């Protein structure tokens, strides 16, 4: 960090800052300018509390240089991380053979209903998205609903149906875990654990998914900055789980023509500062089924490492998020359209 002194800061004030920097176990380099003096702090100050220096007399501001997250940052790892959907040991019933992944040349495509509703619904959708080229099957068994009277998901029954769909199709199961007490149960059935937008800063949950070994799909909170998003990923990684995929799913803005505003610039920006793969959810990201296909194309063009898309065989009767669900036919058409876009940005579908 760099401590910028106020113009006219006194010598004792500058010396006080230097003393505090040394007490932190860091080195100082004082640069005396014509207008003002700055104290450059040398050493790893990532975990030091810079607000201490901010409130010292004579200090104008403190400018951080290192990102506050470490494991998630590019400083630690220059190459892009590839996160597989299946890790070993594989979930009981998961297929053998190479795993679909996100972060490599091939895009990771996860598709399926917002919620698991029943066996016929799930299996029909699972077979259709597999046929169209998806590698992962999404479907919520535990649903975070705004209204307590809305459908809350089938819980373990839903997880069993997801396991059955994996057995029939070979797709990796991606499903949400909402609470620390559910982590073990969900991890017994799922291949990838989803932490939803509403739980992005549930630090106990982040620690719990960090302590188990299944890959984690972490969604950006709807009012979280990218730094807060990366710090949430850091929680998981700091507990020992490096298999984290970041998911941009739209943020809350003043706009009303969409459910959320899909911040696609987050994709290249996250990739600039982090080695973690970034996927895009155009379904929660727009809330409108007619916007899903164009946003899938835009996400791939912007360099996204994958997509997670809500697909329903009967959107009009879906128990959750029907308005933003595309049909299996629309999904198949989208998959063939993004092949050409992927090729243009040197990726594969
Ligand atoms: C979902 O994927 O259905 C979901 C609830 O996502 P989010 O946490 O992004 O709202
Ligand atoms: Mn949904």
């Amino acid at each position: 960090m760099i401590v910028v002194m106020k113009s006219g800061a006194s010598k004792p004030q500058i010396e006080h800052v230097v003393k505090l920097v040394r007490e932190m176990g860091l080195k100082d380099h004082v640069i005396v300018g014509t207008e003002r003096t700055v104290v450059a702090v040398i050493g790893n100050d990532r975990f030091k509390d810079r607000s201490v220096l901010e409130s010292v007399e004579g200090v104008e501001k403190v400018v951080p240089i290192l990102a506050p997250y470490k494991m998630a940052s590019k400083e630690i790892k220059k190459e892009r991380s590839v996160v597989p959907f299946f890790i070993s040991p594989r979930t009981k019933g998961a297929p053998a053979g190479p795993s679909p992944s996100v972060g490599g040349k091939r895009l990771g495509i996860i598709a399926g209903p917002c919620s698991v509703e029943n066996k016929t619904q799930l299996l029909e959708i699972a077979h259709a998205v597999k046929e169209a080229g998806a590698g992962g099957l999404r479907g919520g068994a535990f649903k975070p609903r705004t209204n307590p009277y809305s459908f809350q998901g089938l819980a373990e029954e839903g997880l069993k149906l997801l396991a059955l769909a994996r057995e029939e199709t070979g797709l990796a199961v991606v499903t949400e875990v909402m609470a620390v007490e559910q982590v073990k149960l969900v991890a017994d059935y799922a291949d990838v654990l989803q932490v939803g937008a509403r739980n992005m800063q549930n630090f106990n949950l982040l620690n719990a998914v960090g302590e188990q070994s299944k890959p984690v799909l972490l969604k950006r909170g709807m009012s979280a900055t990218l730094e807060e998003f990366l710090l949430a990923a850091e929680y998981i990684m700091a507990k020992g789980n490096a298999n984290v995929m970041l998911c941009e799913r739209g943020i809350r803005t003043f706009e009303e023509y969409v459910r959320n505003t899909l911040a696609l610039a987050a994709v290249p920006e996250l990739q600039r500062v982090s080695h973690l793969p970034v996927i895009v959810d155009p379904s929660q990201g727009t809330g409108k089924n007619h916007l899903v296909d164009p946003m899938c194309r835009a996400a791939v063009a912007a360099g996204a490492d994958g997509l997670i898309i809500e697909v329903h065989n009967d959107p009009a009767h879906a128990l959750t998020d029907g308005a933003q669900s595309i049909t299996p036919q629309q999904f198949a058409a989208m998959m063939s359209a993004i092949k050409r876009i992927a090729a243009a940005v040197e990726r594969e579908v």
Side-chain angles (χ1 to χ4, degrees):
M1 63 188 142
I2 293 180
V3 184
V4 182
M5 303 302 296
K6 286 188 172 133
S7 70
S10 67
K11 203 156 173 255
Q13 286 173 339
I14 297 166
E15 279 164 3
H16 185 213
V17 168
V18 166
K19 184 168 164 273
L20 289 172
V21 168
R22 290 182 188 173
E23 278 171 11
M24 287 176 169
L26 299 164
K27 290 205 172 79
D28 58 276
H29 178 61
V30 180
I31 305 158
V32 184
T34 46
E35 290 287 321
R36 59 179 83 223
T37 297
V38 304
V39 182
V41 179
I42 303 155
N44 185 354
D45 58 17
R46 183 176 271 116
F47 307 117
K48 309 288 177 190
D49 183 4
R50 62 171 203 269
S51 62
V52 170
L53 291 168
E54 262 157 8
S55 53
V56 166
E57 258 185 77
V59 171
E60 170 88 34
K61 60 179 174 185
V62 180
V63 186
I65 303 295
L66 286 181
Y69 44 84
K70 186 175 167 187
M71 315 283 282
S73 89
K74 272 239 180 106
E75 291 160 41
I76 289 289
K77 186 167 182 260
K78 296 271 178 283
E79 331 77 71
R80 303 221 52 79
S81 287
V82 179
V83 176
F85 292 168
F86 294 120
I87 54 148
S88 68
R90 294 202 179 188
T91 323
K92 194 169 152 280
S99 172
S101 61
V102 273
K105 189 169 166 105
R106 188 173 289 271
L107 301 175
I109 308 290
I110 302 163
C114 176
S115 309
V116 179
E117 298 173 10
N118 57 63
K119 186 171 159 184
T120 328
Q121 172 241 20
L122 187 68
L123 293 181
E124 191 176 319
I125 299 168
H127 282 287
V129 300
K130 168 76 185 184
E131 178 83 4
L137 173 67
R138 63 150 292 148
F142 293 100
K143 293 302 300 178
R145 306 306 305 284
T146 302
N147 187 327
Y149 306 117
S150 304
F151 176 60
Q152 304 283 315
L154 296 179
E156 188 166 3
E157 185 50 35
L159 297 173
K160 287 187 175 150
L161 293 176
L162 285 164
L164 176 64
R166 173 180 50 222
E167 212 166 285
E168 289 204 2
T169 62
L171 289 166
V173 167
V174 183
T175 195
E176 179 158 355
V177 56
M178 280 172 55
V180 173
E181 316 82 78
Q182 293 165 358
V183 171
K184 174 145 188 347
L185 176 72
V186 176
D188 279 347
Y189 290 95
D191 303 295
V192 178
L193 305 190
Q194 175 174 326
V195 173
R198 290 155 193 81
N199 271 317
M200 190 208 81
Q201 282 190 319
N202 180 339
F203 301 115
N204 292 328
L205 182 60
L206 297 176
N207 284 333
V209 297
E211 278 162 2
Q212 59 81 54
S213 59
K214 292 279 163 74
V216 178
L217 187 162
L218 176 66
K219 293 207 164 188
R220 178 184 182 182
M222 56 188 92
S223 59
T225 64
L226 291 193
E227 185 169 293
E228 289 163 343
F229 188 18
L230 288 163
L231 283 167
E234 187 79 11
Y235 261 88
I236 301 169
M237 300 178 86
K239 286 288 175 191
N241 189 349
N243 285 321
V244 178
M245 44 192 117
L246 303 170
C247 177
E248 167 59 46
R249 49 77 72 204
I251 52 172
R252 258 298 157 85
T253 70
F254 53 85
E255 270 305 353
E256 288 174 337
Y257 77 100
V258 277
R259 178 179 176 191
N260 292 292
T261 297
L262 187 61
L264 280 183
V267 174
E269 184 59 17
L270 286 166
Q271 290 170 337
R272 187 178 71 84
V273 295
S274 174
H275 55 85
L276 296 174
V278 183
I279 70 169
V280 169
D281 177 345
S283 310
Q284 328 301 320
T286 64
K288 303 277 167 71
N289 56 16
H290 67 276
L291 295 176
V292 170
D293 175 277
M295 288 302 99
C296 285
R297 298 170 191 238
V300 173
D305 297 297
L307 298 166
I308 176 164
I309 303 155
E310 287 182 349
V311 177
H312 201 286
N313 53 347
D314 183 9
H317 294 102
L319 294 182
T320 59
D321 287 349
Q324 65 192 35
S325 299
I326 58 172
T327 62
Q329 294 71 27
Q330 289 168 326
F331 177 73
M334 184 280 296
M335 287 292 276
S336 97
I338 62 167
K339 278 199 180 90
R340 281 169 286 154
I341 298 168
V345 293
E346 280 153 47
R347 303 298 281 265
E348 286 165 8
V349 182

